[in-house]
């Protein structure tokens, strides 16, 4: 029953975001007109593109962010509530998995393909590039969640059971799609009404497409030899100079807020329940203390990423259990993610681009360039958070060519803790860092004495949740989501997903 109510609430949020949020830019989308079924005479790319964008933003910025925050141990579950205890135990069910899958396909990908068709017919190549870039972004997200997805047959509406293509094949197809769209667009080409760049022409979308190519190629770099392609992209040096994010399309009105804020922080829908708190792992990495309890290091981004508790302190909970509110740890004890109604939904950040470039140079054994871009990534992360002190972060986590995956993995995990938890979960699975330390959730929280023991935690490590999902087990993060029940029940070509599959990463993480 709780799950049904939550699903209904998410559906209401998604509908309102799609209808109302689009009115904040000159009211060009009639909220009484279903954006997925506009009348024939009104069908055009400027009607469909904002709706597709909001479908992706609502999914990526909320339905994917929340579970990934738990899987990355950025988040812990609020004591005394139960909504996300399964996530905190590294569990994802076929029912839970369906919301994001459905929203990306139903609102995002279907509208984007219609836009691509219209743009191609009318030779609107700037719009064609924008729609293709968002389509490839969404499809990569699905591969990163599920491994294999319908791709080569997915657009055939006469086929109710499209085959699931291997993730490596989808990735290769996405690069081809981006290259084809980039070959058609010129920097001065106009783009249909959109939220991401609004009045800008195709030049900004070209940079976004290049950044997405870099991410796709970098993510598959351990499984496919793509360094020549990455090197050519880096030499071209036409990446975004600012974070790619939805920033100016939110307002402090019901249904027009940042989707994660609307889901977890706003009381607009009548709920005052608090579910998400910070995790001990990220807090005790960003705020380190000696055995006497004295602070030896505080990350300057800590205050930008998390709110202090009622005592002005930063404390994090432990994954994997539903603590009682009758114990030592009331709701006011915990610090929470720092969110506002107009917080950005980040798609790709400058810091991520720099980390990917640093990793490329590290693989080429060019330690000087790798270190320069690693430092630039931390500087970009601090700039995005609006804080100074990047030098302190670099001194605490200096670049090390011999262990470049470890230092990049941990620093990226920290940098994404307050901005993009989903990408952090992906990179953890790929780089294998942060790694699991010697402590477990059961030792970090002494349930017999109802006592947290953060002094036992080793900064920059993960730990097995107190009660971990038995299909994942000890010293492992959940590697893939099960296929959505709605998809497997209707598609005879859906692959089998047995219990062992929870431990099998997408092709790029094997």
């Amino acid at each position: 029953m709780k799950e049904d109510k939550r699903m209904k609430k998410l559906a209401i949020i998604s509908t309102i975001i799609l209808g109302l949020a689009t009115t904040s830019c000159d009211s060009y989308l009639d909220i009484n007109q279903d954006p997925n079924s506009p009348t024939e005479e009104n069908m055009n790319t400027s009607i469909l593109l904002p709706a597709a964008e909001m479908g992706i933003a609502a999914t990526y910025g909320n339905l994917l962010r929340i579970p990934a925050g738990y899987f990355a141990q950025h988040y812990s579950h609020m004591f005394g509530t139960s909504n996300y205890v399964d996530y905190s135990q590294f569990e994802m069910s076929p029912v839970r998995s369906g919301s994001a899958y459905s929203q990306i396909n139903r609102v995002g990908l279907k509208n984007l393909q219609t836009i691509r068709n219209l743009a191609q017919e009318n030779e609107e190549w700037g719009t064609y590039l924008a729609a293709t870039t968002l389509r490839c972004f969404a499809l990569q997200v699905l591969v990163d969640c599920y491994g294999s997805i319908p791709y080569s047959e997915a657009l055939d509406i006469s086929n109710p059971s499209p085959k699931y293509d291997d993730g490596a094949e989808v990735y290769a197809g996405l690069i081809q799609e981006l290259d084809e769209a980039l070959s058609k667009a010129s920097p001065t080409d106009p783009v249909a009404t959109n939220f991401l760049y609004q009045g800008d022409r195709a030049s900004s979308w070209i940079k976004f497409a290049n950044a997405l190519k870099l991410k796709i190629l970098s993510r598959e770099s351990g499984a496919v030899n793509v360094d020549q392609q990455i090197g050519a992209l880096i030499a071209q040096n036409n990446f975004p100079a600012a974070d790619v994010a939805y920033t100016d399309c939110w307002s402090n009105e019901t249904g027009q807020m940042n989707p994660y804020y609307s889901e977890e922080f706003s009381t607009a829908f009548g709920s005052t329940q608090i579910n998400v708190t910070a995790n001990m792992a990220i807090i005790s990495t960003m705020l380190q203390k000696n055995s006497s309890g004295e602070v030896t290091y505080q990350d300057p981004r800590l205050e930008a990423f998390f709110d202090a508790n009622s005592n002005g302190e930063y404390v994090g909970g432990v994954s994997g259990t539903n603590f009682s509110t009758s114990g030592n740890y009331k709701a006011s004890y915990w610090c929470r993610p720092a969110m506002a109604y107009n917080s950005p939904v980040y798609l790709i950040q400058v810091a991520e681009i720099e980390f990917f470039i640093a990793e490329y140079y590290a693989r080429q054994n060019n330690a000087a360039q790798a270190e320069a871009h690693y430092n630039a990534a931390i500087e970009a992360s601090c700039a995005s958070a609006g804080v100074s002190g990047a030098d302190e972060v670099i001194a605490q986590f200096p670049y090390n060519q011999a262990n470049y995956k470890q230092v990049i993995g941990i620093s990226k995990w920290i940098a994404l803790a307050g901005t993009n938890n989903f990408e952090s979960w992906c990179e953890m699975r790929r780089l294998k860092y942060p790694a699991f330390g010697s402590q477990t959730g059961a030792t970090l929280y002494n349930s017999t004495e109802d006592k947290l023991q953060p002094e036992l935690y080793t900064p920059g490590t993960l730990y097995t949740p107190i009660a971990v999902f038995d299909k994942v087990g000890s010293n492992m993060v959940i590697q893939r989501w099960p296929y959505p029940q709605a998809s497997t029940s209707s598609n005879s070509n859906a692959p089998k997903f047995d219990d062992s599959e929870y431990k099998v990463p997408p092709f790029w993480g094997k």
Side-chain angles (χ1 to χ4, degrees):
M1 183 65 68
K2 281 186 178 180
E3 180 65 13
D4 290 342
K5 288 182 178 179
R6 182 175 179 275
M7 296 297 289
K8 288 178 181 177
K9 178 182 175 185
L10 289 177
I12 291 170
I13 292 171
S14 299
T15 300
I16 293 175
I17 286 174
L18 288 171
L20 291 181
T22 50
T23 65
S24 62
C25 289
D26 299 328
S27 300
Y28 50 78
L29 183 60
D30 180 358
I31 64 172
N32 296 311
Q33 171 66 53
D34 180 358
N36 300 305
S37 303
T39 59
E40 185 174 350
E41 63 270 20
N42 288 330
M43 183 177 288
N44 62 66
T45 54
S46 285
I47 286 179
L48 294 174
L49 186 53
E53 287 183 287
M54 286 297 99
I56 291 172
T59 306
Y60 187 72
N62 181 33
L63 300 181
L64 294 174
R65 177 170 186 162
I66 290 175
Y70 285 100
F71 300 158
Q73 290 192 331
H74 293 150
Y75 298 161
S76 175
H77 200 63
M78 173 61 73
F79 291 16
T81 67
S82 59
N83 273 12
Y84 302 130
V85 170
D86 52 348
Y87 295 163
S88 77
Q89 296 172 350
F90 294 169
E91 179 177 359
M92 173 61 74
S93 72
V95 174
R96 287 274 218 183
S97 139
S99 299
Y101 185 89
S102 175
Q103 179 117 321
I104 285 181
N105 278 283
R106 179 176 55 83
V107 181
L109 291 173
K110 287 188 177 181
N111 276 342
L112 289 169
Q113 187 54 39
T114 302
I115 295 165
R116 276 161 43 95
N117 292 340
L118 288 170
Q120 190 167 31
E121 290 173 11
N122 300 321
E123 297 186 353
E124 301 173 20
W125 300 122
T127 300
Y128 183 79
L129 172 63
T132 300
T133 303
L134 289 172
R135 165 183 157 80
C136 292
F137 181 91
L139 286 167
Q140 185 195 11
V141 165
L142 292 178
V143 171
D144 294 347
C145 276
Y146 299 103
S148 300
I149 62 169
Y151 177 67
S152 60
E153 298 179 357
L155 299 178
D156 181 1
I157 60 175
S158 66
N159 182 3
S161 296
K163 71 173 183 177
Y164 279 60
D165 295 286
D166 180 75
E169 296 174 2
V170 179
Y171 261 49
L174 299 184
I175 293 297
Q176 290 177 1
E177 287 190 34
L178 288 169
D179 284 341
E180 186 258 350
L182 283 165
S183 72
K184 294 180 181 295
S186 298
T188 56
D189 284 344
V191 178
T193 302
N194 66 91
F195 286 126
L196 198 58
Y197 291 115
Q198 298 181 17
D200 284 1
R201 291 183 175 262
S203 57
S204 296
W205 287 93
I206 290 171
K207 295 177 190 293
F208 177 19
N210 285 335
L212 181 57
K213 281 184 63 178
L214 178 65
K215 185 177 81 163
I216 293 171
L217 293 168
S218 296
R219 191 150 291 164
E220 67 178 344
S221 61
V224 183
N225 185 359
V226 290
D227 275 354
Q228 185 174 357
Q229 293 169 269
I230 295 176
L233 260 180
I234 293 172
Q236 185 182 348
N237 193 28
N238 192 21
F239 299 118
D243 294 339
V244 179
Y246 290 106
T247 56
D248 297 326
C249 52
W250 316 115
S251 66
N252 198 16
E253 300 290 338
T254 303
Q256 299 183 40
M257 306 168 186
N258 170 293
Y260 177 43
Y261 180 86
S262 183
E263 166 73 7
E264 175 61 21
F265 298 85
S266 172
T267 59
F269 290 92
S271 174
T272 58
Q273 181 166 302
I274 299 172
N275 300 294
V276 181
T277 66
N279 196 295
M280 181 187 292
I282 191 64
I283 294 298
S284 294
T285 298
M286 299 184 80
L287 183 64
Q288 299 180 26
K289 300 178 181 180
N290 61 22
S291 57
S292 301
E294 299 171 323
V295 174
T296 58
Y297 169 73
Q298 180 168 332
D299 193 300
R301 295 164 292 184
L302 179 63
E303 295 180 13
F305 288 175
F306 297 97
D307 292 329
N309 69 7
S310 59
N311 295 323
E313 299 173 335
Y314 291 91
V315 292
V318 178
S319 300
T321 191
N322 186 16
F323 295 84
S324 171
T325 55
S326 62
N328 292 328
Y329 306 110
K330 311 295 184 181
S332 61
Y333 183 81
W334 308 104
C335 63
R336 301 253 286 145
M339 289 293 298
Y341 74 87
N342 59 350
S343 292
V345 172
Y346 294 97
L347 300 186
I348 295 180
Q349 293 184 267
V350 173
E352 292 177 82
I353 295 170
E354 292 292 344
F355 276 128
F356 286 133
I357 296 174
E359 186 184 340
Y360 164 78
Y361 281 118
R363 289 197 300 273
Q364 310 309 307
N365 291 314
N366 188 334
Q369 283 287 357
E371 182 175 9
H373 285 279
Y374 171 84
N375 292 348
I378 293 174
E379 291 165 359
S381 174
C382 289
S384 181
V387 301
S388 58
D391 289 346
E392 301 169 34
V393 180
I394 293 168
Q396 184 70 22
F397 300 97
Y399 181 75
N400 185 324
Q401 175 65 20
N403 298 301
Y404 73 87
K405 287 187 178 181
Q406 180 179 15
V407 296
I408 291 175
I410 292 173
S411 288
K412 187 177 287 191
W413 174 67
I414 297 169
L416 294 171
T419 58
N420 200 323
N421 313 94
F422 179 79
E423 295 303 325
S424 184
W425 174 57
C426 292
E427 290 297 276
M428 286 166 50
R429 290 178 290 156
R430 182 177 71 91
L431 294 170
K432 315 303 182 190
Y433 289 98
F436 281 80
S438 59
Q439 301 299 328
T440 67
T443 57
L444 296 175
Y445 172 71
N446 184 330
S447 59
T448 303
E449 299 180 12
D450 189 25
K451 180 182 178 182
L452 290 171
Q453 303 183 107
E455 67 277 4
L456 300 179
Y457 171 78
T458 301
T461 62
L462 305 175
Y463 59 88
T464 300
I466 293 174
V468 68
F469 184 40
D470 61 354
K471 307 301 187 299
V472 174
S474 300
N475 297 326
M476 176 173 281
V477 172
I478 181 172
Q479 297 294 302
R480 274 196 300 141
W481 291 17
Y483 297 113
Q485 191 174 61
S487 177
T488 56
S489 63
S490 61
N491 188 338
S492 59
N493 284 319
K496 300 295 183 184
F497 190 97
D498 60 33
D499 291 348
S500 65
E501 298 294 324
Y502 288 99
K503 297 182 179 182
V504 179
F507 78 100
W508 44 252
K510 297 178 181 179

